[in-house]
Amino acid sequence: MRSNLLSMQLFRLLCGLLEEKTGVNYHASGIETFSAKVYARLEVAGFDAPLDYYYFLRYDAASTDEFDALVDELVVNESYFFREVDQLKSLRDDVVLPLVERGERPRIWCAAASTGEEPLSIAMLLADAGVLSHVDIVASDISRKALARARSGEYNIFSLRACPLDMQQRYIDVTAGRIVVAPEIRAKVEWHRHNLLDASAIASFGTFDGILCRNVLIYFNDATVRRVVGTLSGALRTGGRLFVGATESLFRFGILMRAEEKNGAFSYLRAHE
Ligand SMILES: C[S@@+](CC[C@H](N)C(=O)[O-])C[C@H]1O[C@@H](n2cnc3c(N)ncnc32)[C@H](O)[C@@H]1O
């Protein structure tokens, strides 16, 4: 039986390609899982040898679909409703509500939204505050598979582990063994496929009052974090806020945005043009 463990050299070649295109940095400690996923994909794609598969991905213009399928297998899509909820409440109270009170129409973007629990949680909080119809919510991710799940609005029980019961009762149907988000909540989120490294595509996306980019920067190296945060700050309107994950402090990057703690949640304010 052949071994399905990549050589360190092939592991580095494939990781280099993936990091170049997606920013995601894979550690050698994960070589076994990484190898198993690569072998599963290369067999489906009809290759015998991982080096041929690498050449195909690297040099063949027809490899885009296969590359996307490999990314789908390798990215970590972990998410759940009301994750790090203090930030979601700060987005509502410190970004959305003041703008709505001034008669403006806030735009919110969940970058790297995975299977959609994050933008849908925001929509539920805004529906509860009676302002959902005054806000535009855009959500994006690089993974086609995650977006397909997000668009379906259907989840498993683990997604509900931090979901307050009242929110669940109001906006999530858990009858008949299926967990489905209410259509009026789902209809408020506009889903897009976007790579955070693609600055020009993001520029065409318009500007936002609040951007969430949580639990994805941890997979990037420092140079990529700087690059992505630069792109995101360019997509923020003056007075807009960027929210990153609790373990993803941007302090050491010396960024131009101002870090603020409001109601127990950190965010980065774009104070000037
Ligand atoms: C762990 S999930 C985070 C989901 C959600 N933000 C949360 O905090 O619950 C990380 C997501 O980042 C996405 N991702 C990784 N690299 C990306 C890139 N270059 N552009 C856009 N999304 C990316 C993955 O597909 C995955 O869905």
Side-chain angles (χ1 to χ4, degrees):
M1 216 176 79
R2 83 171 176 191
S3 155
N4 277 3
L5 187 65
L6 291 165
S7 67
M8 193 49 79
Q9 205 179 357
L10 266 163
F11 173 72
R12 293 217 169 96
L13 283 173
L14 282 158
C15 288
L17 177 62
L18 283 153
E19 186 169 10
E20 189 184 308
K21 306 254 190 205
T22 70
V24 176
N25 184 269
Y26 295 91
H27 295 280
S29 58
I31 189 170
E32 284 182 21
T33 314
F34 185 95
S35 299
K37 291 180 173 175
V38 167
Y39 269 96
R41 270 312 323 163
L42 73 82
E43 274 161 24
V44 173
F47 290 89
D48 287 327
L51 185 59
D52 295 339
Y53 183 61
Y54 166 76
Y55 281 137
F56 173 65
L57 294 176
R58 166 67 79 188
Y59 298 111
D60 195 321
S63 66
T64 312
D65 275 352
E66 180 51 36
F67 186 83
D68 292 344
L70 180 62
V71 168
D72 276 345
E73 294 312 312
L74 289 169
V75 286
V76 176
N77 288 134
E78 167 71 1
S79 191
Y80 50 90
F81 289 102
F82 297 91
R83 183 178 196 175
E84 295 163 32
V85 71
D86 287 344
Q87 288 190 321
L88 306 185
K89 288 181 176 167
S90 171
L91 176 77
R92 178 193 62 193
D93 299 341
D94 304 317
V95 176
V96 171
L97 292 182
L99 289 169
V100 172
E101 273 160 27
R102 292 209 306 257
E104 293 178 34
R105 186 173 183 86
R107 283 190 90 214
I108 304 302
W109 175 26
C110 283
S114 187
T115 38
E117 289 91 330
E118 186 177 67
L120 292 168
S121 301
I122 293 168
M124 290 181 218
L125 285 173
L126 297 180
D128 224 45
V131 295
L132 184 58
S133 61
H134 300 277
V135 181
D136 293 322
I137 304 173
V138 175
S140 65
D141 199 274
I142 198 172
S143 165
R144 293 183 307 193
K145 205 163 146 185
L147 284 169
R149 163 63 75 90
R151 287 192 176 103
S152 79
E154 200 161 330
Y155 292 90
N156 63 41
I157 196 77
F158 298 112
S159 289
L160 294 179
R161 59 190 180 272
C163 183
L165 194 58
D166 58 335
M167 288 290 173
Q168 185 181 312
Q169 285 165 343
R170 254 169 270 169
Y171 303 115
I172 302 176
D173 184 358
V174 287
T175 53
R178 291 173 71 218
I179 295 169
V180 186
V181 175
E184 70 271 21
I185 297 294
R186 280 156 51 197
K188 279 301 298 177
V189 181
E190 195 186 298
W191 308 100
H192 290 276
R193 185 149 177 263
H194 257 289
N195 184 344
L196 285 167
L197 301 194
D198 190 346
S200 56
I202 289 172
S204 70
F205 222 32
T207 54
F208 297 88
D209 301 290
I211 300 179
L212 286 96
C213 185
R214 306 192 306 167
N215 304 304
V216 61
L217 300 177
I218 36 165
Y219 300 109
F220 296 164
N221 69 30
D222 285 3
T224 307
V225 172
R226 278 198 190 89
R227 175 176 156 193
V228 169
V229 169
T231 308
L232 296 179
S233 81
L236 271 180
R237 295 173 178 166
T238 303
R241 286 177 189 277
L242 170 67
F243 295 82
V244 299
T247 57
E248 299 171 314
S249 162
L250 302 179
F251 283 125
R252 70 198 167 92
F253 295 108
I255 55 161
L256 293 174
M257 287 178 289
R258 197 164 78 212
E260 282 190 356
E261 191 179 12
K262 277 186 172 263
N263 300 315
F266 264 105
S267 62
Y268 296 85
L269 175 74
R270 178 166 176 170
H272 305 289
E273 275 303 316

